[in-house]
Amino acid sequence: LNEQLALRPAGPGDLPFILATERRPGFDVLVARSSEEEHVARLARPDARYLIARAGGLPVGFALLEGLDDRHHGVKLRRIAVSEPGQGHGVPFMRALIAWVFTETAAERLWLDVFVHNPRARHVYRKVGFREDGLLRQAYVLPDGRRVDRALMSILRSEWQRPS
Ligand SMILES: CC(C)(COP(=O)(O)OP(=O)(O)OC[C@H]1O[C@@H](n2cnc3c(N)ncnc32)[C@H](O)[C@@H]1OP(=O)(O)O)[C@@H](O)C(=O)NCCC(=O)NCCS
């Protein structure tokens, strides 16, 4: 599966897939979503990058990176989602994403935040080498009005295990 997963930059033609993926049933309490207009505006920004993961020639997920112009070389993984969770795409997707960031950009640090009530995502991030930086307490309001904690995680270039 690892060999079969490939990343490519997203373009406007990927917007239906991106919009549908972040709107999968149950995802509203796991991942933020944007309107089509917000995605279109962000696609044009030089400091942001959307990447599509493909397996067997089909898109299986997308990721959104931000902060590519950060003067402290900290890139943020703002959003990631696969259309069919639990099928084994997330781990190779994350590994390919980390490799992309540390080979295609000058990033020294790749970071993200994840809801503490998302043990699947936290497991995947730990498995691919992210470490916990701390907690943003009560820092997000879910669509149902609940306030939830966000865990900060990061991986440093020096911690990245280059694929052999
Ligand atoms: C997070 C996400 C990208 C991971 O991708 P995925 O394709 O589901 O991941 P995989 O199938 O490769 O791996 C899932 C891992 O989580 C584990 N897992 C599944 N449910 C779990 C749970 N409730 N608690 C802990 N671990 C769990 C699996 O056992 C597997 O680990 P393993 O490889 O060590 O066996 C995907 O689940 C997703 O898009 N979720 C919805 C959106 C989301 O949460 N995005 C992240 C926002 S920060």
Side-chain angles (χ1 to χ4, degrees), residues 89-162:
H89 292 307
V91 169
F93 187 4
M94 281 301 301
R95 291 199 171 119
L97 197 59
I98 295 166
W100 189 93
V101 167
F102 289 134
T103 52
E104 301 293 325
T105 81
E108 288 294 329
R109 181 171 186 272
L110 174 63
W111 67 282
L112 56 82
D113 65 69
V114 53
F115 298 141
V116 298
H117 63 262
N118 193 348
R120 180 173 55 199
R122 294 177 80 183
H123 171 86
V124 169
Y125 301 147
R126 279 192 206 103
K127 184 168 178 170
V128 300
F130 278 75
R131 287 161 57 170
E132 307 244 340
D133 284 344
L135 205 60
L136 295 169
R137 296 180 303 144
Q138 303 284 290
Y140 194 92
V141 183
L142 290 176
D144 66 8
R146 272 182 297 152
R147 299 195 69 89
V148 291
D149 296 344
R150 310 163 86 160
L152 287 167
M153 300 184 79
S154 64
I155 180 170
L156 306 181
R157 176 181 289 273
S158 58
E159 294 165 344
W160 172 47
Q161 311 276 328
R162 219 172 274 270

Side-chain angles (χ1 to χ4, degrees), residues 21-134:
T21 300
E22 64 189 8
R23 283 164 180 72
R24 300 283 294 178
F27 280 21
D28 57 338
V29 294
L30 300 177
V31 70
R33 54 184 64 172
S34 303
S35 67
E36 184 167 2
E37 294 69 33
E38 288 167 329
H39 283 302
V40 168
R42 214 186 276 118
L43 265 169
R45 270 174 38 192
D47 60 318
R49 190 65 48 88
Y50 286 82
L51 294 167
I52 300 288
R54 281 180 308 144
L58 293 173
V60 295
F62 82 92
L64 165 59
L65 298 167
E66 285 187 346
L68 273 78
D69 61 347
D70 179 42
R71 61 191 296 198
H72 306 288
H73 292 158
V75 168
K76 179 175 188 188
L77 175 55
R78 166 93 182 264
R79 198 169 300 166
I80 183 166
V82 301
S83 42
E84 298 290 344
Q87 304 287 306
H89 292 307
V91 169
F93 187 4
M94 281 301 301
R95 291 199 171 119
L97 197 59
I98 295 166
W100 189 93
V101 167
F102 289 134
T103 52
E104 301 293 325
T105 81
E108 288 294 329
R109 181 171 186 272
L110 174 63
W111 67 282
L112 56 82
D113 65 69
V114 53
F115 298 141
V116 298
H117 63 262
N118 193 348
R120 180 173 55 199
R122 294 177 80 183
H123 171 86
V124 169
Y125 301 147
R126 279 192 206 103
K127 184 168 178 170
V128 300
F130 278 75
R131 287 161 57 170
E132 307 244 340
D133 284 344

